[in-house]
Each structure stands twice: as C-alpha cells, then as structure tokens.
Amino acid sequence: MVSSLYIHIPFCLRKCPYCDFFSIPYENGMEREMERRYVNALKSELILRKDNIVTLRTIYIGGGTPSVFEAGSIARLLEFINNNFGIENGAEITMEVNPSSADDEKLRAIRQAGVNRISVGVQSLNDEELISLGRIHNAAEAVRALEIIKKYFWNFSVDLIYGLEGQTVGGWVRTVRRALSFAPPHVSAYELTPEADTPFGRRVMSGEAVLPEEDAIAAMYCSAAEQFGGAGLCHYEISNFARAGFLCRHNENYWRRGLYAGIGAGAHSHLRILYSGQGYSLRSSNAADLMQYLTNIEHNTLPVGETTIIDGCEGLKEDIFLGLRTAEGVSVERLREGGIDVAGLQGLVENGLAEIDETRLKLTRRGFLVSNRIISSIMDKIDAQRGHSPKSV
C-alpha cells in the first residue's frame, strides 16, 4: 500500500525544446473540455488503483505545466482524493507552476484548494538564457511570480538550470544571488542535459548549440552550492538544497526507494507485488500517449506502458544508486551485500570524492560532480559479481 501519490498533468502552453518528459501543448479551443475530460480520467484511475492507496502523506502534481489548469479543477481533484482515500493532516501537497501562468488570483485559489507547497520553474533570471531555453516567460515575470508565491505559500521551491548555452559563471552567480533574495526555503539546481530526442539535443549534437566547458560547469555547481550554504540551505541531494524542515518529503520517498502510485498519462509507479509466490517491488509506467490513456481509462482499463519487476539484486543496486545521490549516502553493509570491497574504495577518499566511516559511504561535493562515473563503476562491479538483470513482464 502506498501513501505517496504523483499526478501527471501533461499539458503545456508550449513545449520547451530541451524537455524530454511526456508533455503536449494544449489544442487551441479545446483546452477546458480536455481539462474536464482529463480530470475525470484521473479520478477514474484512482478508483482503479484503490487497492494500492491508503491515507496520503504526500501528493505531487507535476507535468507538463499543471498551472495551466483552472484552480477549480485542482480543488475538485484534491477533494475527490480526500473523500475516497483521505489526506493526512499536515500532508505535503506540492504543485509545479510556470511563472507565465502564476497570477495572483490563481495562486490564491490553488492555496485555498489545499496545495501547500509550490515548485516554480524559474530556470534562469537572465532574459537571453530564457530565450535560448525556449521558455515563454522572461525574468521580470519570474520575479513577479516569486513575489506572488511568497504572499500565499511559506513552503516553496525555486527550480534553476545551469550549464546553458552562452551562460557564464558570473551570469549564473547573479541568477543564484537574485533567486536567494526571495529567501526560498528550497532550491533545485539542475545541470542542463541535452537529451538526444529533443530539438535542443539535436542542436547540440549538430554543433549548432555549444554548451559551457566542463570546468565552467563545475565552477557553476560549486559556486551555487556555496551560495546556498551561506543562505542556510543544506545540500541534501545532488541537485537539491533546503532549510531545515523544508526538505521535499515526496522526493525523499523516491530517493529512499519508497512506494508511490503515479496517475495520469506517462506517470510512473513503484508498488509492492507478489510474483511466483515471492514479494518484489514493481516499477511501472502508464502509456505516454494522451488518447491511449483516456481511451483505456474510459473503458475501465489501466493504461499500462512498461512494467519491470525489481528483484533483490536490482533493489540493492537501486539502494546504492539513489543513496549515493543524497547527503546520507549508502550503508557499507549494502555495498558489501553487492560484493563491493569497501577497502577498495579508499581511492575515492584519497581523491576527496567520498567519505567512508564504519557504517556509511557518502560522496563529497567534488564526488557529486563526478557521481555518474563513480556510481557506474560500482554498478559494473556488482553486475560482474552477480550478473542479474531486471525482469520485464
């Protein structure tokens, strides 16, 4: 049974050229009718999944751009969830918003609907960088959105992206400093990753778009971490920083391999199942196709996309992979279960990339910079020891 729920709203005013999440622009003239139909489908999917869901501790409404929906649709959906499953007192209810759709009236209504945490996609506070990202808001609109958010929400997160085309270390430092002037209790800072199947990724592959050098990106990461630390935000995951008491509880559940249900087109779930008489965790996704999703749900059928059973070895690898992304690190015991000679990892310590004591291995800030390389090396060693692969069904 799960007490965390992810709700995917795939609609956008315009799809950003670097985004590889399942999202689609609204069709002109069909917005509100599609919104009504989609919300009804979400309610129906919840009923189809009722045996997996208990009173909810966290709800995360992501996208796409959920704030393109009317606040009344969000209110009706949360009311339905509370009436049918229950929402715990003090539950964390997060909603992503775009600065271009974050006006005073909507944010006030969203707060009244029960949302108590906002994640705002600022990305940059430099107009030229926002244009290169294909964002539809400018820096002034982002600033205005932050001012309104602070009126109604004491718990909010600012999303920023670094390593942008044409970005300098100085320009990034100015964006971070300006964002911190709003005293956000949480900041997510992500390095831009050019995904191959996106318009931006193709521009990078062709050489049309040139990203900053590796040393400049490392300097951006370290300077931001220092500024966030100076503002009282602890570095609790590779890309996430928060004041005490403001860590994202929903995402912490992900990083600790907790169970959760995902509803909506393209949403992912992590559930517990019995398979061949044994208990496993199951990672599954809904079909990333709007019309297929709606048709299946309207015929009382779950729109299953990919499904993977996670056995003991794969679960162990997930524990290590996810743990090393966090400040808590991973237990030495789990590493040894994977056949890892912990003494053989002392080179990471000597190079300032990790800290190891009797119980845990934790990456340092320098280690976070090359975490993909470190984690890949450990995964390769586990695979060589055990030779397991996940079961697809």
Side-chain angles (χ1 to χ4, degrees):
M1 302 294 281
V2 303
S3 58
S4 287
L5 177 68
Y6 174 76
I7 302 170
H8 192 66
I9 310 291
F11 303 105
C12 296
L13 294 175
R14 184 178 71 197
K15 189 171 177 69
C16 296
Y18 61 88
C19 176
D20 71 335
F21 292 113
F22 173 60
S23 59
I24 52 176
Y26 255 170
E27 295 180 13
N28 291 334
M30 294 292 291
E31 292 94 337
R32 295 313 164 203
E33 174 57 28
M34 180 56 73
E35 180 175 325
R36 182 198 62 78
R37 185 180 177 189
Y38 192 78
V39 170
N40 285 339
L42 291 173
K43 293 177 181 178
S44 296
E45 185 181 359
L46 281 164
I47 296 303
L48 290 172
R49 295 186 180 277
K50 65 181 184 301
D51 292 339
N52 293 119
I53 301 172
V54 295
T55 301
L56 290 161
R57 297 175 181 173
T58 72
I59 299 173
Y60 194 104
I61 307 170
T65 307
S67 53
V68 300
F69 273 16
E70 292 183 338
S73 294
I74 303 300
R76 287 188 290 274
L77 183 57
L78 291 176
E79 182 181 22
F80 179 88
I81 292 169
N82 192 40
N83 289 341
N84 287 274
F85 303 96
I87 299 174
E88 189 176 271
N89 287 336
E92 177 190 88
I93 305 176
T94 302
M95 181 170 162
E96 295 178 351
V97 304
N98 187 301
S100 61
S101 55
D103 59 65
D104 193 291
E105 181 181 354
K106 177 169 287 187
L107 284 166
R108 182 175 64 251
I110 287 171
R111 184 69 185 89
Q112 292 172 345
V115 174
N116 55 28
R117 183 177 184 273
I118 290 291
S119 177
V120 56
V122 169
Q123 316 311 6
S124 173
L125 287 167
N126 177 295
D127 284 339
E128 290 182 2
E129 292 171 0
L130 289 168
I131 290 170
S132 77
L133 282 171
R135 302 293 289 181
I136 61 175
H137 69 272
N138 58 33
E141 289 170 326
V143 167
R144 177 59 180 154
L146 287 167
E147 290 171 345
I148 298 171
I149 287 167
K150 288 201 67 169
K151 288 173 58 178
Y152 301 111
F153 295 88
W154 53 270
N155 192 359
F156 66 97
S157 178
V158 175
D159 280 8
L160 301 173
I161 302 180
Y162 62 95
L164 309 181
E165 181 181 11
Q167 188 177 49
T168 65
V169 175
W172 167 243
V173 167
R174 286 190 291 275
T175 281
V176 171
R177 187 178 298 130
R178 195 173 184 192
L180 287 175
S181 71
F182 292 91
H186 190 287
V187 177
S188 297
Y190 301 104
E191 179 185 348
L192 178 61
T193 303
E195 303 292 347
D197 58 349
T198 64
F200 184 78
R202 290 189 285 272
R203 288 185 63 228
V204 172
M205 293 293 290
S206 71
E208 181 184 350
V210 179
L211 302 181
E213 297 292 333
E214 189 173 300
D215 286 350
I217 290 175
M220 291 178 194
Y221 183 79
C222 291
S223 67
E226 289 172 4
Q227 287 187 79
F228 296 145
L233 306 178
C234 68
H235 194 174
Y236 75 104
E237 193 268 349
I238 284 180
S239 302
N240 287 275
F241 306 79
R243 291 208 307 261
F246 290 88
L247 282 65
C248 180
R249 287 153 49 192
H250 188 86
N251 286 344
E252 280 196 295
N253 184 54
Y254 288 159
W255 299 323
R256 291 171 177 165
R257 289 191 68 236
L259 303 179
Y260 58 90
I263 64 169
H268 289 249
S269 297
H270 182 213
L271 307 170
R272 187 74 63 193
I273 65 163
L274 280 175
Y275 181 75
S276 299
Q278 298 185 53
Y280 293 92
S281 66
L282 176 78
R283 294 198 179 274
S284 65
S285 64
N286 284 348
D289 180 295
L290 177 62
M291 297 316 296
Q292 181 183 342
Y293 171 77
L294 292 171
T295 299
N296 279 33
I297 292 295
E298 288 165 359
H299 287 83
N300 293 314
T301 304
L302 287 174
V304 178
E306 295 182 357
T307 302
T308 303
I309 293 175
I310 308 299
D311 65 12
C313 181
E314 289 303 313
L316 172 70
K317 288 166 64 177
E318 285 188 357
D319 276 346
I320 294 171
F321 164 73
L322 293 169
L324 287 176
R325 290 185 57 88
T326 70
E328 293 181 354
V330 65
S331 74
V332 167
E333 180 182 353
R334 288 299 269 166
L335 290 166
R336 288 177 176 146
E337 287 176 30
I340 300 297
D341 177 12
V342 177
L345 299 177
Q346 285 299 321
L348 297 176
V349 177
E350 293 167 5
N351 288 308
L353 302 176
E355 299 173 352
I356 304 176
D357 60 23
E358 294 181 355
T359 61
R360 304 195 74 77
L361 166 67
K362 305 174 185 179
L363 297 188
T364 62
R365 184 182 299 168
R366 284 187 61 195
F368 280 158
L369 278 168
V370 292
S371 60
N372 287 345
R373 199 178 311 159
I374 295 170
I375 292 169
S376 178
S377 174
I378 292 174
M379 295 298 106
D380 287 345
K381 290 175 182 176
I382 294 174
D383 285 339
Q385 288 279 341
R386 311 186 74 160
H388 275 260
S389 60
K391 301 178 177 68
S392 294
V393 295

